[in-house]
Amino acid sequence: MVGGGLTIGGWFAGAVIANFVGKARSILEERHELHGDVADMLFNVEASLVHLQTVVDVAERRPIADGTFTDWLQMIKKIASEAEELLDDFETKRIQKSLQNKVSGLLAYLMKNLGLVDDDIWKLKTLLARLDKIASKAGNILDLLKLNDSEVALTGFLPKIQPVFLGREDEKDKLMSIIFPSLAQTEHFASSKMQEVQWGTAGVRVICIVGEAGVGKTALAQVIYNNPNVKEAFDLRGWVFLSHKFDSKDFFKNIDHSFAAEQHPFDSEMGLEAFQASSEHLSSIIHNKRFFLVLDNAEDNLQREWKTLSEKLTEGAAGSIVLVTTRSAVITETEVITLGTMPTDVLSTILKHHAFGINTKNHLESTGEEIAGKLHGLPLLAELIGRLLRRKLDEAHWRNVSESEWWENYGDLATTNPALPSVTITLEFLSDHLKRCLGYCSMFPSSYLFDKKKLAHMWMSDSMQQHHEFVYESREIQWFDELFNRSLIKPTVRENKYIMNEKIKEILALITQTGCYTVEDSSRPQANLYGFNHIAIHKGDFDVSMGLREHTKARSILFFDGQRTIKLNAALATILPQPSAMRVLDLSCIESKMERPPDVIGTYSHLRYLDLSFTGITMFPDSFCGLNHLKVLGMRGCRFREMPRAMNKLVNLRYLYAEVCTLSLIQGIGQLTNLQCLEEFAVGKLEGHRITELKNLNNLGGYLCISNLEKVSCAKEVSDTELSRKMYIQKLVLKWHPESASSDSCMQVLSQLKPNGNIEDLEIQFYMGALFPEWIADNRHFTILRYIKFSGCKILVKLPPLGQLTHLKILILQGLEQIQCIGEEFYGSYDRVFPSLEELTFCDMKNWHMWLDIKQTQIIPKIRKIVINKCRRLSDLPKSILGSLKELELSDCKEIFGKTPNCLEYANILRRLKVHNCLGITINFPNQLLASIKVLNLQNCEVCFQGRNESIGSLRIFLTIGCHEVREGKKKKNTYDTQLIFSPNIEDLVY
């Protein structure tokens, strides 16, 4: 039997109470009321704070069975919540009074108790008296707990651990041999057996990976999906996360969106609004293209749509693959790979890898073997426990894990759910704040993809410990990384998207008191929502009673689905509580649209996080400008006619996510001096929209695009923005309109836009100056600059000496139409040219015809990849640079091959070569190139292989489309419309 549950949600109580007590002392002293009984109460509470904090901390990592203690803990939580609300009310009055009197931010903060009245002081004293009564019992409660030092939670942040795939090598090889049938034909390509194998004769092939939860189905699919050879061989890749709440319309839309996102990466939240999909659209996306589609976590409901889907998929090219992960074979007549549980010796290997990394600790191996025997054959559990063990590599800690009471405490429950003990032990050793953050994740719907920053914003907004100081990289990001490092949150194939394993979610709901609940359309009985602070509503129809109207203490409400709701605004007005202590409100995942948000939101004075993205609203109510505590505001995908003039009164706003057309409507945005994120600022000519609005936004960080720079009226305005003082900006884009900028004004403006020396990425678009200012290549100023892109700079005639930038790794030059020659001015005068450069791309440079080599005394030490596209006049490549390349991509630039010998003669160590769209000239492939190359990708070109079969030594992939081969000494041509040759030695091609 399970005696009580691990509590989650009380850790913050001690910290909030300590903050409240400090604030109470300040207020009472300032008003000369700190005397008599009030002074005694305050002294008693302050003396009890250490005991109180300790008791609350211990409560968060122990199973609680004592009802008296549980009641005491709930009272502490309740008082902490009331204390925070009271302090919020005080802060709201201070902000409103300072805005009314136009007091400066610093002065207003110093006037801490501005606007308080006698009724406020009475509330403070009453709450202090209740706290005194409860805190007096803290010492006795502490004695009852019988603390054990060995159970103290481990803390500390480790570097992020990259995902590792272990234990399924045989299944991986089998799956690869199904995807690439030629793998089974021969062990290696003999020089005389360079088969001209046609890519598959079958149409779409369906493969199912079948196994119970936690055996590694998704992990195996991710390894295959991300394999470099799969990326090379398929025109389209897509991954769709399925959930038990299956909707036909969403299903096809998600497949379309997944394919489109892989082709044209964009912010997925913005993309959903613009991407209008249907099942008919799918056919056109995949028409005559070879695709690789993963349907992850499929259930029986997939069968309903399979006939329609399979008909659409036949539009794809032969050899396309659908890979399905499922607990049971939901589709008949498919090739099946079954993943069973793993034997103890394999689990032990996985456990030790995650526990030790590359180290070995012989004295711990026996303990590791004991633990591996308790993991019930699931690699997920081995990874969880392994990550727990690596926190502290000593035998006492490992013995505490091995001998934990939780291995035996669940009885029969552990038989039906073998992951219970392992997950519980992992939770027991989590620090308190991490338990709370993990519990918060448990309320999201099945297969929900977490956005790292969005989740961190929610945690920050709900936190009872408020950030008063500027913290750009918040501790919440560290918490997220910590959960990721422990494998409690898993990465997905989508960049910056994560997911929680369903097995862990189930167990969290079973054994913890998270304060979180998901309201669904399922048939299970609905809980009393008054016991939950964080609620996710995942229903098709919101026009039903959910008992939320009077739940005024709810701190987070998130809405999902709602597609059957007819009058969304009216439904939400009926559901949302009033009044409310809500901190987080997210409407961005509602599928129905509304013109305006419910007015009741304007009364949520404690609100910190409000996401209205993609709701279809066209107006932002004036009342929302009174949400003085608001820190995060999302308005992506919304199109407004105007914005309230009082928007600049949201003085605590840190993160503002909206399209530039929305941001440009905000009058005087420069008054929001706490802003940390403003993705794009479009310069205007009217007062309140000029570039000078950026002057006081010195907390801006991360990504910033300054557009419409042609509207700057004079260079003095630019210098007043003090861009170099914005030390937290990491990625900067400077953008002019391509048709409106003059050369002289461009050069004057850019000369004044020198950013801070800490930026990592710099992009300049449609700059119409003939030259760049000297700061562009100032290696003494830019100490970590790693990425530069110049695009659309059509009258630029000379490149700056970028070769002297010490840390530059990636350089992209695109659309520089007047550049004719690249040489010494580009490299600079140092002996080590581009000392860190790895990738160099030239695109659409129609007048570029000469690329001079570096001097004999110079080297480019780390260059490994060059991409050249649509540079039709370029006639040769630098020989010394070619000699160190590992990857070369040439497209629509056939003049490069016009000389004899051509540039490929000097590519001595090339491993990957891609040549596209170079018809009209025969490209000779020399013997030494064919002997070293691993990946050869040819499209729409005419080639001649010198030595042909006899020269091929290392070739792993040979992919051609529309390629003509000329045999040496013969006039006959072989034409390959589509062919693929694979070596069985499938390996990750990392150079």
Side-chain angles (χ1 to χ4, degrees):
M1 294 292 296
V2 182
L6 293 173
T7 63
I8 291 179
W11 74 274
F12 53 75
V16 171
I17 289 172
N19 181 40
F20 170 75
V21 171
K23 182 72 173 179
R25 174 173 288 280
S26 173
I27 292 173
L28 294 172
E29 285 180 344
E30 184 175 315
R31 295 178 65 94
H32 306 290
E33 297 198 24
L34 191 57
H35 51 76
D37 292 343
V38 175
D40 291 340
M41 285 189 300
L42 186 61
F43 176 82
N44 292 337
V45 172
E46 288 176 329
S48 301
L49 279 178
V50 174
H51 282 167
L52 188 149
Q53 183 69 63
T54 304
V55 172
V56 173
D57 287 348
V58 171
E60 293 305 300
R61 62 174 184 272
R62 290 176 59 93
I64 305 302
D66 190 313
T68 302
F69 178 83
T70 303
D71 292 342
W72 181 88
L73 182 61
Q74 293 302 323
M75 286 189 290
I76 285 291
K77 292 180 181 180
K78 183 177 181 181
I79 282 191
S81 180
E82 292 177 8
E84 188 193 29
E85 291 175 24
L86 185 60
L87 294 182
D88 267 5
D89 290 337
F90 290 176
E91 178 68 7
T92 299
K93 289 186 176 183
R94 183 193 66 78
I95 294 172
Q96 292 174 345
K97 195 73 174 178
S98 65
L99 289 173
Q100 180 182 347
N101 297 331
K102 296 184 179 180
V103 180
S104 70
L106 177 61
L107 182 59
Y109 182 75
L110 295 175
M111 300 169 65
K112 298 177 182 178
N113 306 315
L114 195 66
L116 298 186
V117 296
D118 290 342
D119 187 54
D120 297 322
I121 304 303
W122 178 83
K123 290 178 182 178
L124 186 150
K125 291 179 180 178
T126 302
L127 191 58
L128 192 62
R130 291 173 55 201
L131 182 58
D132 178 33
K133 185 175 182 180
I134 293 176
S136 64
K137 299 181 180 180
N140 296 333
I141 294 288
L142 187 60
D143 293 337
L144 292 175
L145 283 173
K146 299 178 181 179
L147 296 180
N148 185 335
D149 290 340
S150 65
E151 293 178 350
V152 174
L154 300 172
T155 59
F157 302 113
L158 296 182
K160 181 179 287 190
I161 302 170
Q162 294 301 319
V164 176
F165 181 75
L166 295 172
R168 294 293 182 188
E169 286 76 12
D170 291 343
E171 290 89 345
K172 172 191 170 186
D173 291 342
K174 181 180 178 182
L175 188 51
M176 291 297 287
S177 68
I178 294 174
I179 296 172
F180 303 117
S182 60
L183 296 182
Q185 295 179 4
T186 178
E187 180 62 21
H188 295 285
F189 275 114
S191 59
S192 61
K193 293 184 178 180
M194 180 177 171
Q195 302 114 324
E196 294 167 4
V197 180
Q198 197 71 18
W199 170 269
T201 55
V204 179
R205 306 180 70 187
V206 182
I207 308 168
C208 284
I209 304 176
V210 180
E212 292 299 318
V215 298
K217 303 184 300 295
T218 298
L220 175 58
Q222 286 181 343
V223 168
I224 300 300
Y225 187 87
N226 290 319
N227 187 285
N229 300 325
V230 172
K231 293 180 180 180
E232 191 84 38
F234 291 89
D235 302 309
L236 293 172
R237 291 184 306 141
W239 186 296
V240 176
F241 297 88
L242 303 178
S243 68
H244 67 276
K245 191 179 178 69
F246 192 94
D247 180 82
S248 174
K249 180 181 177 182
D250 285 345
F251 177 55
F252 288 106
K253 180 180 72 174
N254 290 339
I255 293 175
D256 290 357
H257 179 255
S258 180
F259 281 140
E262 283 287 338
Q263 283 184 297
H264 307 288
F266 49 77
D267 188 312
S268 60
E269 294 185 3
M270 297 181 69
L272 283 171
E273 173 71 11
F275 197 81
Q276 300 298 321
S278 66
S279 58
E280 286 73 25
H281 191 232
L282 174 61
S283 299
S284 62
I285 291 177
I286 65 174
H287 182 68
N288 285 339
K289 294 181 180 178
R290 192 164 51 243
F291 64 83
F292 186 89
L293 173 64
V294 178
L295 303 178
D296 189 22
N297 193 33
E299 298 182 7
D300 292 341
N301 47 25
L302 177 61
Q303 293 179 343
R304 297 198 305 266
E305 304 298 333
W306 182 249
K307 182 179 179 181
T308 303
L309 176 62
S310 59
E311 290 174 354
K312 302 296 179 185
L313 295 180
T314 57
E315 293 292 329
S320 296
I321 297 289
V322 177
L323 183 62
V324 182
T325 71
T326 175
R327 297 190 187 188
S328 60
V330 295
I331 305 171
T332 59
E333 299 181 0
T334 62
E335 298 174 85
V336 176
I337 293 181
T338 302
L339 302 188
T341 57
M342 290 184 172
T344 300
D345 59 337
V346 178
L347 287 178
S348 180
T349 300
I350 297 172
L351 183 148
K352 290 176 184 177
H353 177 90
H354 289 296
F356 297 134
I358 61 175
N359 301 317
T360 58
K361 303 283 184 181
N362 293 331
H363 66 285
L364 299 179
E365 287 190 359
S366 60
T367 309
E369 296 288 349
E370 293 176 18
I371 297 174
K374 301 176 180 181
L375 296 179
H376 301 280
L378 299 181
L380 166 67
L381 306 185
E383 185 175 350
L384 278 177
I385 296 297
R387 296 286 172 88
L388 171 61
L389 296 178
R390 79 182 298 151
R391 315 297 295 183
K392 194 174 181 182
L393 295 182
D394 69 66
E395 194 159 2
H397 170 55
W398 281 43
R399 282 292 172 192
N400 284 337
V401 174
S402 178
E403 297 170 4
S404 171
E405 62 182 8
W406 292 108
W407 292 115
E408 309 296 336
N409 204 41
Y410 282 113
D412 293 340
L413 281 176
T415 303
T416 57
N417 196 337
L420 267 172
S422 304
V423 176
T424 305
I425 292 169
T426 301
L427 290 174
E428 183 184 4
F429 281 89
L430 278 182
S431 53
D432 305 327
H433 53 277
L434 293 181
K435 264 191 274 182
R436 177 169 171 262
C437 293
L438 189 65
Y440 199 93
C441 298
S442 69
M443 72 170 158
F444 293 108
S446 174
S447 297
Y448 178 81
L449 302 189
F450 304 117
D451 179 273
K452 181 176 181 177
K453 282 193 174 181
K454 183 171 182 176
L455 187 57
H457 289 342
M458 288 183 177
W459 289 340
M460 174 193 72
S461 301
D462 180 62
S463 174
M464 283 194 170
Q465 286 182 288
Q466 299 302 322
H467 302 295
H468 291 297
E469 74 287 355
F470 172 77
V471 183
Y472 179 68
E473 290 294 339
S474 68
R475 60 186 177 184
E476 286 80 9
I477 292 291
Q478 291 181 310
W479 295 347
F480 189 100
D481 290 341
E482 182 79 353
L483 293 175
F484 175 82
N485 287 342
R486 293 174 180 267
S487 296
L488 293 164
I489 292 177
K490 305 290 289 183
T492 69
V493 296
R494 303 271 181 86
E495 186 176 3
N496 296 321
K497 298 291 184 180
Y498 300 80
I499 197 167
M500 178 183 284
N501 184 278
E502 289 298 310
K503 183 65 69 175
I504 294 177
K505 283 184 62 176
E506 293 171 8
I507 295 172
L508 274 172
L510 179 64
I511 68 173
T512 64
Q513 301 167 12
T514 63
C516 303
Y517 187 76
T518 306
V519 182
E520 299 181 296
D521 284 325
S522 61
S523 58
R524 63 174 176 162
Q526 182 173 308
N528 182 354
L529 295 181
Y530 292 108
F532 299 94
N533 291 328
H534 312 290
I535 301 167
I537 301 173
H538 190 211
K539 296 176 69 68
D541 190 355
F542 298 149
D543 290 313
V544 292
S545 175
M546 285 179 271
L548 276 175
R549 183 65 174 169
E550 306 302 324
H551 189 12
T552 60
K553 299 300 182 182
R555 298 178 65 89
S556 307
I557 299 182
L558 287 68
F559 288 88
F560 298 86
D561 197 356
Q563 60 181 320
R564 298 195 305 273
T565 307
I566 299 175
K567 295 182 179 180
L568 181 58
N569 188 284
L572 291 177
T574 302
I575 294 172
L576 291 172
Q578 185 181 10
S580 176
M582 199 180 312
R583 266 68 178 171
V584 175
L585 179 60
D586 189 351
L587 306 177
S588 65
C589 293
I590 297 179
E591 297 194 20
S592 295
K593 303 300 179 186
M594 54 182 160
E595 289 189 3
R596 60 174 292 154
D599 292 330
V600 67
I601 297 175
T603 68
Y604 292 166
S605 60
H606 302 286
L607 200 64
R608 263 83 170 170
Y609 180 106
L610 176 62
D611 197 348
L612 302 169
S613 300
F614 314 116
T615 54
I617 62 173
T618 58
M619 61 88 62
F620 192 84
D622 291 346
S623 61
F624 286 19
C625 299
L627 299 174
N628 300 123
H629 289 293
L630 199 63
K631 295 187 176 186
V632 183
L633 176 58
M635 298 185 292
R636 293 190 192 275
C638 299
R639 297 292 183 266
F640 298 98
R641 295 183 292 270
E642 60 180 356
M643 297 297 287
R645 292 185 64 86
M647 279 288 289
N648 52 29
K649 292 185 178 180
L650 297 173
V651 292
N652 279 313
L653 199 62
R654 294 187 186 184
Y655 302 94
L656 178 55
Y657 298 106
E659 265 59 80
V660 64
C661 57
T662 298
L663 296 173
S664 62
L665 295 173
I666 299 176
Q667 172 87 6
I669 198 171
Q671 296 180 43
L672 303 179
T673 55
N674 284 313
L675 273 182
Q676 296 181 21
C677 178
L678 179 67
E679 292 181 342
E680 184 167 354
F681 177 80
V683 178
K685 292 185 177 181
L686 299 178
E687 188 65 33
H689 301 276
R690 294 175 180 168
I691 196 171
T692 50
E693 292 295 318
L694 293 173
K695 178 177 181 178
N696 294 319
L697 301 184
N698 290 325
N699 289 334
L700 288 180
Y703 174 90
L704 173 65
C705 174
I706 307 176
S707 59
N708 291 355
L709 282 167
E710 72 281 354
K711 294 185 179 180
V712 174
S713 59
C714 65
K716 177 63 168 56
E717 280 190 347
V718 184
S719 64
D720 287 344
T721 65
E722 300 177 338
L723 192 61
S724 60
R725 292 185 57 194
K726 295 162 181 42
M727 302 303 295
Y728 304 104
I729 295 176
Q730 298 169 317
K731 302 179 180 181
L732 178 66
V733 178
L734 303 174
K735 186 177 180 180
W736 285 257
H737 190 280
E739 306 299 332
S740 304
S742 68
S743 178
D744 289 343
S745 65
C746 278
M747 296 177 70
Q748 292 175 11
V749 168
L750 186 59
S751 66
Q752 299 294 324
L753 282 174
K754 184 177 182 178
N756 75 81
N758 296 323
I759 66 167
E760 299 177 9
D761 295 14
L762 174 64
E763 185 171 345
I764 298 178
Q765 298 180 11
F766 305 113
Y767 170 73
M768 292 300 152
L771 299 172
F772 278 127
E774 291 184 358
W775 64 256
I776 292 284
D778 187 349
N779 65 310
R780 290 171 296 181
H781 179 70
F782 293 118
T783 56
I784 58 174
L785 183 61
R786 62 178 181 82
Y787 174 95
I788 288 180
K789 181 178 181 180
F790 300 149
S791 60
C793 305
K794 295 183 179 180
I795 68 171
L796 187 74
V797 296
K798 183 180 178 181
L799 289 169
L802 299 175
Q804 62 193 25
L805 291 173
T806 308
H807 296 280
L808 187 63
K809 289 187 176 182
I810 299 174
L811 175 60
I812 301 174
L813 305 178
Q814 179 178 345
L816 312 186
E817 295 183 357
Q818 297 305 314
I819 296 293
Q820 300 182 34
C821 178
I822 291 179
E824 184 177 351
E825 82 291 342
F826 178 58
Y827 302 130
S829 58
Y830 298 168
D831 289 340
R832 290 172 63 88
V833 178
F834 292 110
S836 300
L837 190 68
E838 297 176 2
E839 299 184 18
L840 179 57
T841 297
F842 301 94
C843 182
D844 199 16
M845 296 174 62
K846 62 183 183 181
N847 287 308
W848 180 35
H849 63 87
M850 186 179 299
W851 186 1
L852 301 178
D853 211 335
I854 57 178
K855 297 178 181 178
Q856 290 185 351
T857 58
Q858 293 177 320
I859 60 169
I860 304 182
K862 296 184 179 180
I863 187 74
R864 66 172 182 84
K865 181 178 181 179
I866 288 180
V867 177
I868 302 177
N869 182 27
K870 293 184 180 178
C871 299
R872 299 185 177 99
R873 294 189 62 193
L874 185 61
S875 59
D876 203 2
L877 300 180
K879 298 176 178 57
S880 60
I881 297 177
L882 284 168
S884 59
L885 284 186
K886 298 290 184 66
E887 298 184 55
L888 179 61
E889 296 185 12
L890 304 172
S891 179
D892 202 1
C893 48
K894 66 181 181 181
E895 295 300 320
I896 287 177
F897 303 106
K899 289 187 176 181
T900 304
N902 68 45
C903 60
L904 298 181
E905 294 279 355
Y906 304 96
N908 299 321
I909 59 172
L910 204 62
R911 296 294 180 266
R912 184 187 294 265
L913 174 63
K914 180 183 289 187
V915 181
H916 287 190
N917 304 321
C918 290
L919 287 171
I921 192 170
T922 300
I923 304 170
N924 292 304
F925 284 80
N927 291 341
Q928 71 272 18
L929 176 64
L930 293 175
S932 65
I933 200 163
K934 291 178 180 288
V935 178
L936 183 57
N937 186 331
L938 308 175
Q939 290 188 20
N940 300 323
C941 54
E942 186 176 282
V943 298
C944 177
F945 297 114
Q946 298 176 10
R948 203 171 184 273
N949 297 1
E950 292 75 12
S951 302
I952 296 175
S954 302
L955 190 64
R956 296 289 177 265
I957 305 174
F958 179 33
L959 179 66
T960 68
I961 297 177
C963 182
H964 310 287
E965 181 190 359
V966 178
R967 299 290 179 90
E968 286 184 290
K970 299 180 180 180
K971 295 182 179 181
K972 182 180 178 181
K973 294 181 180 180
N974 290 335
T975 300
Y976 307 124
D977 290 329
T978 302
Q979 89 165 6
L980 176 70
I981 297 178
F982 261 87
S983 161
N985 185 13
I986 295 296
E987 59 187 25
D988 291 346
L989 299 171
V990 180
Y991 307 128

